[in-house]
Amino acid sequence: MIPQEELRRFGTDGLSSETVLESRKQYGTNELTPPRRIPIWKQYLEKYQDPIIRILLVAVVLSAIVAVLEGESLLDTIGIALAVILATTIAFLTEFKSNREFDALHAMRDDTAVKVIRNGSPSSIPMRDVVVGDIVLLEAGDMVPADGYLLDASETEVDESAFTGESEPIRKVVSDTLLKGSYITGGRATMITAAVGDQTKMGEIASSLIEGSRPETPLQIKLRNLAEIISRFGYLMAGLIISVVLIQDFIIGTPPQTPLEIAGVILHACMFAVVIIVVSVPEGLPVSVTVSLALTMRKMTRAKSLVRRLIACETVGSVTVICTDKTGTLTMNKMEVAASSIEVPSLSSELPQDPSEWITLNAAVNSTAELEPSRDRLLTVGNSTEAALLRWLHRSGISYSDIRKAWPVISQDYFTSKKKRMSTIVAYGSRRYILMKGAPEIIASYCSPPPDLSMIHTLAGRAMRTLAFAHAELAPEESEPAVMQWDGYVGIRDEVRPDVREAVKTCNDAGITVKMVTGDSPETATAIARETGILSDGIVMTGPVFRGLSDEERLHIVPDLEVLARSEPHDKLLLVQALQARGEVVAVTGDGTNDAPALRNADVGLAMGIAGTEVAREASDIILLDDSFPTIERAIWWGRALFENIQRFLIFQLTINISASILTFISPLLGFPPPFTIMQLLWINIIMDSLAALALCSEAPHPALMTKKPIPKNASVITPYMKRAILLTAGLYILAGVGCMAIGFPFLEKPEQQASVFFSGFVIAQVWNGINCRGINGIMPPVFRGNPVFYGIMGCIVLVQILIVQYGSDIFDTVPLTPLQWMGIIIGTMPVLLIWPFLRYIHTKSENV
């Protein structure tokens, strides 16, 4: 920041148009350069780092080699390649679109109007146009647009919680510094700009953020482990096939004699193995995961959660601990009168006659705050506590502005932290009255007889800021009476959001621990934490004590720590690191600039969309558009639904892959022709699976998702229920397939008809199994309602299958079937639906053991 002495050359009368251009050229613009982001081409290529995608890329190469060596069509290779490109492109474009929406949030902030002196007169300019040397006029409610020094300060108070974490405003005097992103909460000020854009304190912190430095997510870990299992299965199948072929040709049959014949046998075995590997790999899985993430991202955005990283949709569903702010997240971020010594405010047109009327007059006149109408709400201009009193009057139908006109102010003695009171002298005809409000113990010391403060102590224990009121008539020439008359009190606080307690309970029922991290006092934090259900029998600790602990002590204490009060942003980072060291998946909320390290290092960073700074939002994974804790709970719900949808698809596709690969493997060994052609496998393994992915990932969340504990980070994506479902269903398909190949279908004479019925029966059976896959872990959604997308897509699969068989004989090696034969296939495969009740029975029995 430029020193004050150097700024003197700009003067205090404001810049001219020419000087503005010179300053902008020399010191830059008032816009933050986005953190060093990975180039777009690199972001796209990173999507190919997914383990399943890597396996598919190998399959593409192997499939191409086989096709070239056998002189076959490259359609299979092209199909796998298209699946890879589709999955990676959807993921990239979805994140790109989300980041465009995120940038729009910044643009709105940069367009905020700022009052400056230009060319000798006040004018309003966008925040982005402020330059070094600009004289900025600030008043209560304004955000400081750049770093600078105060030239004039009149009862100026500033909220610098974005940098300090301290919720109480700081009194500023002439020559003090103001920081970009802080807020004027009281008084007026004139500032000369000393740093803009990247040169500000906020810019320095923002420049240290590098996109991409985040921990591996639970889903990425699970899919990597799954990819290893699939790879081992593929290699095992390939090894078995090569071994069997070599045994058949070299030991059982007539051994090849020449080197060329030996090479031909080995090449044939290897190509057969490659076909099985291609069949084994779930090509539709990346598409399923990506489409599920993209759909969930859109639904979460509609639910007030703007997702910036696609994978964060699932990560938020794996959260085990939420470290949440208090103000604005658990509370309404708006001070309101919550209790008072009078029933309702009231005021007659005459001199007040009772405490209710004196308190009403005091609240309206003894104040510097204003309420500014804006659409359907009243905006606070000035002190938030005084504004709460004005809204209290407004709710009772009393106009504070009318009272101020009727009671002209003679003088005011403003509130200071030292005096803890404010007084205003008003005129009523020829008489003068003094109205005083402030800390109850201070006001009580001026009153006689002394009031009973027991109820006030009760309100303070409920996290309320208490204000007392008193008045007295002044004798001529008197500025302060010897004794005042006590009128009463009010309790003011930032009310807890009405749905927070239920949201916290839902999180607790779901096995998620909620911890409060706030800059407020331990007393206030404890009261709010108890009211919201966050604090039960855990520990309340202050930031200085917490940061003074050793790393091992923090590791030991964080499970029991429920409230961290008087905390600084760095304390939040220490808490996140300690929890992660214990294996927790941590979500963190933050709105301040100094919250960026904690947001960046958390498994899921949740920034405030309304109160959050640019830096906090840039460091986040998800932006809460309404700054509300219940929105976090809904995001977790959607995240868990996403993971369950991915599991549904895994049951569906792995059942197909295992049964298809084993049938393809054993049919030649049993002397049968291959059950599927390459084009049929292309339809079954890529296109149909991709359509099924769309169907199964459209399943809506159900209430039971929030009644079980989070899935551990290192747990397998394949649950015991899924293993039973996959192995049982695939086993029945294999037995039925072998039986059909051995016995054949009745009333079918030609082998082409047998092959077409076998192909169609396998596909239709998978459609029936898709209904089974909707029910996972023993829970089945309404079978024939609740998800029209699923039945629409499955109906399309059946329709396309009929068209393939009836009209695609040249491509798919099929022959047309009669309507009666189609009816037989549909009815004959319907018993697949009986598998789910059996799985449900086994699952319930295993849970009760």
Side-chain angles (χ1 to χ4, degrees), residues 275-330:
V275 172
I276 296 299
I277 290 174
V278 172
V279 174
S280 302
V281 175
E283 289 89 346
L285 180 58
V287 178
S288 170
V289 172
T290 305
V291 170
S292 296
L293 288 168
L295 289 176
T296 303
M297 175 186 265
R298 285 171 50 196
K299 291 169 183 174
M300 287 176 66
T301 300
R302 287 198 293 269
K304 304 297 184 183
S305 299
L306 175 62
V307 181
R308 296 193 57 226
R309 292 177 68 225
L310 201 59
I311 198 70
C313 293
E314 187 279 332
T315 309
V316 74
S318 303
V319 163
T320 59
V321 178
I322 301 173
C323 298
T324 177
D325 287 339
K326 177 186 75 70
T327 305
T329 308
L330 300 175

Side-chain angles (χ1 to χ4, degrees), residues 424-635:
T424 297
I425 298 176
V426 295
Y428 180 74
S430 59
R431 300 159 73 178
R432 295 184 307 137
Y433 290 87
I434 182 170
L435 307 172
M436 188 180 294
K437 75 172 191 295
E441 63 275 12
I442 300 298
I443 301 302
S445 66
Y446 286 86
C447 297
S448 181
D452 179 10
L453 301 181
S454 58
M455 182 55 69
I456 289 174
H457 295 321
T458 301
L459 297 182
R462 292 170 52 196
M464 292 192 190
R465 183 178 299 172
T466 52
L467 278 180
F469 300 88
H471 77 279
E473 184 175 359
L474 293 175
E477 306 301 325
E478 188 179 38
S479 61
E480 195 167 296
V483 66
M484 299 194 69
Q485 182 176 335
W486 175 271
D487 293 318
Y489 58 86
V490 296
I492 300 174
R493 74 167 185 165
D494 186 2
E495 287 284 7
V496 171
R497 291 178 183 267
D499 46 1
V500 162
R501 186 175 182 86
E502 184 61 31
V504 171
K505 182 180 182 300
T506 301
C507 288
N508 290 334
D509 291 342
I512 302 167
T513 304
V514 182
K515 300 179 186 294
M516 181 198 292
V517 185
T518 178
D520 280 329
S521 67
E523 294 76 18
T524 300
T526 298
I528 295 295
R530 288 199 186 283
E531 186 173 345
T532 55
I534 292 175
L535 180 63
S536 53
D537 54 357
I539 297 172
V540 178
M541 185 176 287
T542 62
V545 174
F546 183 72
R547 80 180 76 104
L549 299 174
S550 67
D551 291 342
E552 283 130 11
E553 288 173 327
R554 277 195 290 271
L555 270 177
H556 179 71
I557 206 168
V558 287
D560 299 318
L561 180 63
E562 293 181 340
V563 178
L564 190 60
R566 292 290 185 215
S567 68
E568 295 180 359
H570 184 64
D571 301 332
K572 192 180 289 187
L573 176 60
L574 292 175
L575 178 60
V576 169
Q577 292 172 336
L579 288 167
Q580 287 176 328
R582 295 185 63 89
E584 305 285 359
V585 179
V586 186
V588 168
T589 69
D591 57 6
T593 299
N594 280 2
D595 286 328
L599 291 168
R600 174 68 71 184
N601 284 276
D603 295 282
V604 184
L606 302 154
M608 303 297 117
I610 299 173
T613 63
E614 289 93 332
V615 177
R617 293 188 298 192
E618 188 71 56
S620 67
D621 303 299
I622 298 174
I623 298 173
L624 304 179
L625 299 177
D626 59 357
D627 292 11
S628 170
F629 184 85
T631 301
I632 303 173
E633 179 246 320
R634 288 193 295 272

Side-chain angles (χ1 to χ4, degrees), residues 76 91 106 135 140 145 168 182 290 308-309 324 354 364 385 414 424 452 484 590 592 658 665-666 697 700 771 833 836:
D76 193 29
H106 281 345
I135 304 300
E168 290 297 321
S182 55
T290 305
R308 296 193 57 226
R309 292 177 68 225
T324 177
D354 57 39
T385 301
Y414 297 111
T424 297
D452 179 10
M484 299 194 69
I658 291 173
F665 167 63
I666 64 175
C697 72
I771 297 176
L833 291 174
W836 188 85

Side-chain angles (χ1 to χ4, degrees), residues 51 129-130 135 165 207-210 219 247-248 287 393 471 490 596 650 708 716 732 783 837:
D129 289 342
V130 173
I135 304 300
S207 65
S208 66
L209 298 178
I210 303 174
L219 181 61
I247 290 171
Q248 282 182 327
V287 178
L393 302 185
H471 77 279
V490 296
L650 280 173
K708 56 184 181 180
S716 172
L732 290 175
V783 178

Side-chain angles (χ1 to χ4, degrees), residues 359-370:
I359 290 176
T360 302
L361 176 64
N362 202 327
V365 178
N366 189 20
S367 172
T368 59
E370 298 279 354

Side-chain angles (χ1 to χ4, degrees), residues 33 41 87 131 190 266 273 285 292 398 416 489 525 607 645 739 754 796 816:
T33 301
W41 64 270
V131 298
T190 303
I266 294 173
L285 180 58
S292 296
I398 298 173
T416 67
Y489 58 86
N645 284 343
Q754 292 280 348
C796 287

